[in-house]
Amino acid sequence: MRFFPLITFTFLLLFNSLNAQEQKSSAEIYEELEKFNFLGSVLYLAAHPDDENTRLISYLSNGLNARTAYLSLTRGDGGQNLIGTEIRELLGVIRSQELQMARSIDGGQQFFTRANDFGYSKHPDETLKIWNKSQVFEDVIYTIRSFKPDIIINRFDHRTPGKSHGHHTSSAMLSVEAFDKSNDPSIYPKQLKTLEPWQVRRQFFNTSWWFYGGRDKFAEADKSNLVSLDVGAYYPTLGISNNEISALARSKHRSQGFGSSGDRGSYQEYLEIINGDLPMDKTNLFDGIETTWLRIDVGNQIKPIMESVMATYDFKDPSAIVPDLLKVHDILSTSKDAHWRDIKLNQISELIIACMGLHLEASTDRQQTTIGDSLEVMIEWTNRSQVPVTADEITINELIKEVNRKLEPFTTEKIYINYYINKDLGFSNPYWLKEKGTLGTYKVSDPKIRNHPESQALVSAKFDLTVDGRELIIERDVQYRYVNPAAGEIREPLAVIPPATISFEKDLYLFSSNNEQSIEVKVRAGKDNLKGTLKIEVPEGWAISPDDQNVEIAKKGLEASYAFKLISPEDISEGQLRASILVDGSAFDKTLINIDYDHIPLQTVLSPSEAKAVKVPLSRGGTKIGYVMGAGDKIPESLANVGYRVTEIDPASLPDMALNRFDAIVIGIRAYNAVKNLKLYNEVLFSYAENGGTLITQYNTSRRLNFDDLSPYPIKLSRKRVTDEFAPMRVLIPQHQVMNVPNKISSSDFEGWVQERGLYFPEDWDDQFEAIVSSNDLGEDPLDGSLLIAPHGKGYFVYTSLSWFRQLPAGVPGAYRLFANMLALSSKNHDKP
């Protein structure tokens, strides 16, 4: 079961949507009041989750009290996953939520564009071509026009194309281009139906000694165009320093292994002016920008009231300021500055509720529902102050319920409302995954949501209240609430799912010597008494039997399995299997995926119900494989799909295992980065190879790694990679066993690879190794270290940086054939395709 670990200070819950019902402390309310009194905005801009500078974002939000947001152009879909097996789109869902959780800690907001992280890119020309620059630039402009930042801060340098990740440089280049064009009405004029042109006042590059090539060079550099900020502030009200907040936020990037410890002293951040005017006062980032209430038309009325509020604030009785806050609410409602009016009305409404200790919640006793269901929603109020408040009505989506109930102080009130889930509501799914996109961009038809961090909740409740004579409307998502005996009260997002979802037993069906396989398809009922017809669509040249099957499942939540016979063609072939079920005249074709980690909210994803079918001639050597899992991948499952018997090995058990029963042992991706103390068992592993086994170690990153741990012979890693999956592969030793036995490898086996050839290639290695293949991206020097093989005693040691963790789950035929040859290096018996 899931639980949220205890946080040592309640500040972390300030912006956590899952804990919207948690009461703010009086110290937190005071911090929110200070932010309410600041009318200035900063947009931090970079390419990926984890690119953001959480120290600076936290300082801007909590030190300067500025309205602060991070625009990550991508969702990090192309990276690796240290905590599970999700990659690509599902990894993007995880990292989107990790960013949201980071912002819930450092106080920022989160935005994205439609850009897809398609993998490492070496030049912005390639990046912007694959992204479709116009679409991503449109989203950048939209975010600037809607957020209206006074200041933009770029994480990367726009002047260094080709010297770093193409995504990084592209993010800065797009930001610089947008500085003036966001104020040009001829640029994306359709946006101006709901937005206005906006001119950013100043733009910075968040530089550091790293960009100068070293601390010594940076110390000697001309800093006349830099602003220096000491972001090591300590916040006595919260009892924590800015850098400690930053580390907690950074540590939410668990899928990338970015846990951090917080510094507690001074820390300088440097900002280089690249557009606009350099502040006259370099200690004041907003110098020359009006950030007080005088910025808006009614500000001169609000300013003295808020000065009095801050001077008289009683930490023991925050409700005492509610009458003054209500006056400010009234004045704000008359402002003609729609941008700041709406922002501040939302802030002050929540502040009034917080000062009253008013608990408002809409919950249900189920996590999933479907069309046709009647959902019972419990509405709960608790007024924990003497401020008079009346609940007038509750609106659940379009359903209005009259209440007219006075909320007595320190008394909990509950009512129950049945809400019918109709077919027009749609289904819960990350909005950017609802339509099929391209390699470079997600397709999102609605321009108003393209930069949102997540989908809006499908079922929400609006509380129409009268507080001391004023109407306030507060909205809360309807959430699933339950009690975990070990962790207490838990809340999760409510999901609306189809009446039936379908999943293949495997993601990949690979045929080698056989022409027929029994495949299993599971149907999960989203409603009681499910009846339907299940059908599988197969690629041309393949056959399925039977054509369809009747489905009957009595209770929602139950699954039933249905077996089909899949028949392959004789020749090499690959394609997609697609499953659908017809229920009450409507076809449904989605697989339900729950992404369940304890550091992010439960995520419901509806992906196309598909599997890949591949026919490839494949001979195998020994089939008993040991696998030491690293950062998480699907290679063990992929090998099992083609007949290998794979045993996952706990490293701690290695000394006590009879390793000679394995034909090969494979070390998973980034294992020496991710698995604590794996190096302690190297002697056992290397001895296994020396005694006649084959030991295969897959890629590791060079970051904080002792290269001596990787191999029985000296080897040194680099950060070099081949990002073009179509880059020619040259065979350096065509007569080598690995290229011939048991599968004869040819150039066709390097066709159809996905995302990349490989990454973090060794750049130097011992003479015992033989380099088998070579490749390089266009215009670059050959890289020969992607597949290194060394005899070791009676066996073999292999170090390979080819991206097997992408190729095998994707069903790339040639990748299976070459991997089978590596596994067979020590084997004497080979089967036939």
Side-chain angles (χ1 to χ4, degrees):
M1 302 294 285
R2 308 170 72 251
F3 67 94
F4 294 92
L6 180 66
I7 305 299
T8 56
F9 63 106
T10 54
F11 173 78
L12 298 191
L13 300 178
L14 268 175
F15 297 90
N16 187 345
S17 61
L18 275 190
N19 293 278
Q21 294 81 16
E22 294 290 342
Q23 174 60 35
K24 294 180 176 68
S25 70
S26 60
E28 292 169 348
I29 293 171
Y30 185 81
E31 293 295 320
E32 289 296 285
L33 286 167
E34 289 197 320
K35 293 179 182 181
F36 179 67
N37 282 323
F38 193 93
L39 281 73
S41 303
V42 184
L43 181 66
Y44 199 89
L45 195 150
H48 309 108
D50 86 349
D51 286 343
E52 86 276 28
N53 185 337
T54 53
R55 283 188 301 267
L56 192 52
I57 290 175
S58 178
Y59 177 75
L60 294 168
S61 177
N62 303 300
L64 299 187
N65 296 311
R67 180 169 165 261
T68 307
Y70 173 44
L71 173 57
S72 175
L73 298 193
T74 78
R75 296 177 181 270
D77 329 73
Q80 288 84 55
N81 184 359
L82 288 180
I83 60 173
T85 60
E86 297 90 352
I87 58 174
R88 293 303 305 151
E89 290 81 4
L90 296 181
L91 179 57
V93 173
I94 292 172
R95 291 190 173 176
S96 296
Q97 288 299 317
E98 288 178 335
L99 273 181
Q100 289 253 77
M101 297 306 293
R103 298 295 80 76
S104 75
I105 293 172
D106 61 34
Q109 295 176 245
Q110 185 60 52
F111 297 119
F112 293 98
T113 74
R114 284 170 286 174
N116 192 338
D117 179 5
F118 56 85
Y120 193 90
S121 176
K122 294 182 177 179
H123 200 282
D125 289 350
E126 177 195 45
T127 298
L128 295 173
K129 181 180 178 181
I130 294 176
W131 273 353
N132 186 333
K133 176 189 173 183
S134 178
Q135 291 186 15
V136 178
F137 189 54
E138 180 181 5
D139 296 348
V140 173
I141 294 290
Y142 185 93
T143 301
I144 293 172
R145 287 173 173 171
S146 57
F147 187 70
K148 293 188 174 181
D150 301 299
I151 297 166
I152 291 178
I153 300 175
N154 297 338
R155 184 67 181 104
F156 300 107
D157 192 346
H158 64 288
R159 298 158 296 196
T160 56
K163 293 186 178 180
S164 66
H165 196 325
H167 296 184
H168 292 170
T169 311
S170 294
S171 71
M173 291 169 64
L174 292 174
S175 178
V176 170
E177 186 176 352
F179 181 81
D180 288 321
K181 289 188 176 179
S182 60
N183 197 38
D184 184 344
S186 69
I187 302 298
Y188 304 113
K190 290 183 179 180
Q191 293 182 359
L192 303 183
K193 293 179 180 179
T194 56
L195 302 174
E196 299 174 332
W198 179 253
Q199 182 59 62
V200 180
R201 175 68 177 268
R202 53 183 64 122
Q203 186 175 48
F204 295 96
F205 160 45
N206 185 192
T207 191
S208 72
W209 62 265
W210 189 87
F211 292 97
Y212 284 75
R215 297 181 187 274
D216 293 342
K217 291 182 179 179
F218 184 62
E220 298 172 356
D222 178 12
K223 298 183 179 63
S224 59
N225 63 339
L226 303 186
V227 171
S228 175
L229 302 174
D230 185 353
V231 300
Y234 175 69
Y235 305 125
T237 310
L238 298 175
I240 194 169
S241 71
N242 186 74
N243 290 341
E244 289 173 297
I245 293 174
S246 164
L248 289 165
R250 185 76 171 171
S251 296
K252 287 299 179 183
H253 294 297
R254 292 190 192 175
S255 66
Q256 299 175 85
F258 283 143
S260 301
S261 61
D263 298 325
R264 294 168 180 81
S266 176
Y267 192 96
Q268 297 295 318
E269 288 286 349
Y270 295 91
L271 305 177
E272 176 189 353
I273 190 74
I274 53 176
N275 268 315
D277 61 321
L278 186 68
M280 295 289 290
D281 178 1
K282 289 189 177 183
T283 66
N284 180 7
L285 202 60
F286 284 88
D287 184 39
I289 301 172
E290 181 60 74
T291 58
T292 73
W293 283 107
L294 299 181
R295 183 165 190 163
I296 64 173
D297 52 351
V298 295
N300 58 342
Q301 301 174 57
I302 295 173
K303 190 172 185 287
I305 300 175
M306 289 308 302
E307 287 175 348
S308 175
V309 163
M310 300 305 291
T312 61
Y313 181 73
D314 185 351
F315 283 86
K316 292 185 177 180
D317 183 17
S319 66
I321 66 170
V322 168
D324 282 337
L325 295 183
L326 288 168
K327 291 178 186 177
V328 173
H329 186 278
D330 293 343
I331 297 169
L332 268 173
S333 299
T334 67
S335 175
K336 296 178 181 178
D337 187 328
H339 176 71
W340 283 110
R341 179 194 66 210
D342 294 345
I343 291 169
K344 294 303 176 181
L345 277 175
N346 181 65
Q347 288 179 358
I348 200 169
S349 296
E350 291 292 348
L351 276 167
I352 292 168
I353 297 302
C355 288
M356 296 169 58
L358 183 57
H359 175 89
L360 305 172
E361 183 167 7
S363 64
T364 186
D365 62 356
R366 69 185 76 168
Q367 196 271 320
Q368 295 175 346
T369 186
T370 191
I371 54 177
D373 268 2
S374 180
L375 185 71
E376 185 179 69
V377 179
M378 183 181 75
I379 302 296
E380 181 178 337
W381 307 267
T382 306
N383 178 20
R384 291 173 284 196
S385 76
Q386 297 293 338
V387 178
V389 56
T390 301
D392 299 324
E393 64 183 27
I394 294 292
T395 303
I396 300 179
N397 288 11
E398 73 288 346
L399 176 65
I400 300 175
K401 173 75 172 179
E402 296 288 340
V403 178
N404 298 321
R405 183 176 299 186
K406 182 180 180 182
L407 304 182
E408 298 293 341
F410 307 102
T411 301
T412 296
E413 302 275 354
K414 296 178 182 179
I415 64 171
Y416 296 86
I417 301 173
N418 287 321
Y419 176 73
Y420 177 77
I421 306 295
N422 66 61
K423 65 180 180 179
D424 297 328
L425 194 61
F427 301 121
S428 300
N429 207 24
Y431 71 84
W432 61 96
L433 299 181
K434 290 183 178 181
E435 300 179 80
K436 186 174 179 60
T438 67
L439 172 65
T441 52
Y442 288 111
K443 183 179 180 182
V444 183
S445 298
D446 185 353
K448 298 187 297 297
I449 66 171
R450 286 173 182 160
N451 66 348
H452 288 193
E454 62 184 347
S455 297
Q456 184 177 355
L458 292 180
V459 186
S460 62
K462 289 182 180 178
F463 294 75
D464 194 329
L465 309 171
T466 299
V467 179
D468 200 13
R470 275 83 159 191
E471 182 185 37
L472 287 184
I473 297 178
I474 304 295
E475 187 168 0
R476 295 286 184 261
D477 295 342
V478 175
Q479 295 179 333
Y480 167 51
R481 185 173 74 173
Y482 68 100
V483 175
N484 180 319
E489 190 173 67
I490 302 294
R491 295 177 179 88
E492 292 176 346
L494 171 68
V496 181
I497 63 172
T501 52
I502 319 162
S503 60
F504 285 93
E505 179 189 17
K506 301 177 181 179
D507 295 330
L508 172 68
Y509 295 93
L510 198 147
F511 293 70
S512 52
S513 58
N514 55 331
N515 290 333
E516 293 184 4
Q517 279 191 44
S518 177
I519 69 171
E520 188 174 282
V521 179
K522 291 183 179 180
V523 178
R524 182 184 186 276
K527 67 172 188 175
D528 291 338
N529 300 314
L530 174 72
K531 295 182 179 180
T533 303
L534 177 63
K535 187 177 181 63
I536 299 178
E537 178 186 341
V538 299
E540 184 177 356
W542 296 68
I544 193 78
S545 178
D547 292 335
D548 55 47
Q549 295 195 51
N550 292 327
V551 172
E552 291 191 19
I553 303 176
K555 294 291 185 181
K556 64 182 177 183
L558 295 181
E559 287 186 340
S561 296
Y562 298 86
F564 291 81
K565 182 188 294 183
L566 180 61
I567 304 165
S568 74
E570 292 294 333
D571 299 327
I572 292 179
S573 176
E574 56 183 298
Q576 294 295 120
L577 308 176
R578 295 180 174 87
S580 62
I581 184 169
L582 190 67
V583 179
D584 297 330
S586 298
F588 301 97
D589 59 356
K590 301 299 182 186
T591 294
L592 175 65
I593 301 170
N594 289 321
I595 301 177
D596 193 2
Y597 292 100
D598 65 8
H599 69 299
I600 61 174
L602 177 68
Q603 296 298 295
T604 298
V605 180
L606 295 170
S607 66
S609 183
E610 296 178 343
K612 191 170 184 179
V614 177
K615 177 61 181 291
V616 54
L618 178 68
S619 296
R620 298 168 304 180
T623 59
K624 296 178 182 178
I625 308 301
Y627 201 93
V628 178
M629 189 64 74
D633 60 61
K634 292 187 176 182
I635 291 179
E637 175 186 335
S638 300
L639 295 177
N641 281 345
V642 291
Y644 288 96
R645 287 174 285 174
V646 183
T647 300
E648 291 194 25
I649 299 174
D650 178 357
S653 67
L654 282 166
D656 301 320
M657 293 185 72
L659 298 182
N660 59 0
R661 63 189 171 102
F662 297 117
D663 297 300
I665 293 177
V666 182
I667 309 297
I669 62 171
R670 296 177 68 173
Y672 284 96
N673 300 117
V675 180
K676 186 178 181 181
N677 294 331
L678 176 59
K679 63 184 179 181
L680 299 180
Y681 306 103
N682 276 355
E683 183 177 346
V684 176
L685 290 168
F686 297 160
S687 294
Y688 160 77
E690 191 172 15
N691 291 326
T694 294
L695 177 63
I696 301 172
T697 297
Q698 297 179 82
Y699 92 97
N700 291 268
T701 67
S702 56
R703 186 168 175 256
R704 292 184 294 194
L705 183 70
N706 183 347
F707 300 133
D708 293 337
D709 296 336
L710 296 177
S711 166
Y713 308 111
I715 192 171
K716 183 179 180 181
L717 303 187
S718 74
R719 298 184 63 84
K720 297 177 181 178
R721 59 181 75 200
V722 177
T723 62
D724 182 0
E725 63 269 36
F726 306 110
M729 295 288 286
R730 297 173 295 277
V731 179
L732 302 178
I733 310 178
Q735 71 276 14
H736 196 284
Q737 177 183 340
V738 80
M739 301 302 296
N740 295 279
V741 180
N743 301 287
K744 180 69 174 178
I745 303 301
S746 68
S747 59
S748 63
D749 288 301
F750 296 105
E751 296 174 359
W753 286 46
V754 297
Q755 186 161 324
E756 63 202 352
R757 290 297 189 189
L759 60 173
Y760 295 100
F761 288 9
E763 62 181 356
D764 194 17
W765 51 86
D766 190 84
D767 290 341
Q768 292 286 337
F769 284 107
E770 292 182 293
I772 308 300
V773 293
S774 175
S775 62
N776 56 273
D777 284 321
L778 186 65
E780 296 187 357
D781 293 333
L783 298 177
D784 299 342
S786 60
L787 178 55
L788 302 174
I789 300 177
H792 188 56
K794 299 177 182 178
Y796 293 89
F797 177 81
V798 180
Y799 190 89
T800 176
S801 293
L802 295 173
S803 59
W804 305 107
F805 73 103
R806 298 195 191 280
Q807 312 312 320
L808 299 190
V812 177
Y816 273 93
R817 287 161 50 80
L818 182 53
F819 204 90
N821 285 10
M822 291 194 304
L823 296 173
L825 280 170
S826 298
S827 178
K828 307 302 181 188
N829 300 311
H830 306 134
D831 62 12
K832 299 297 182 183

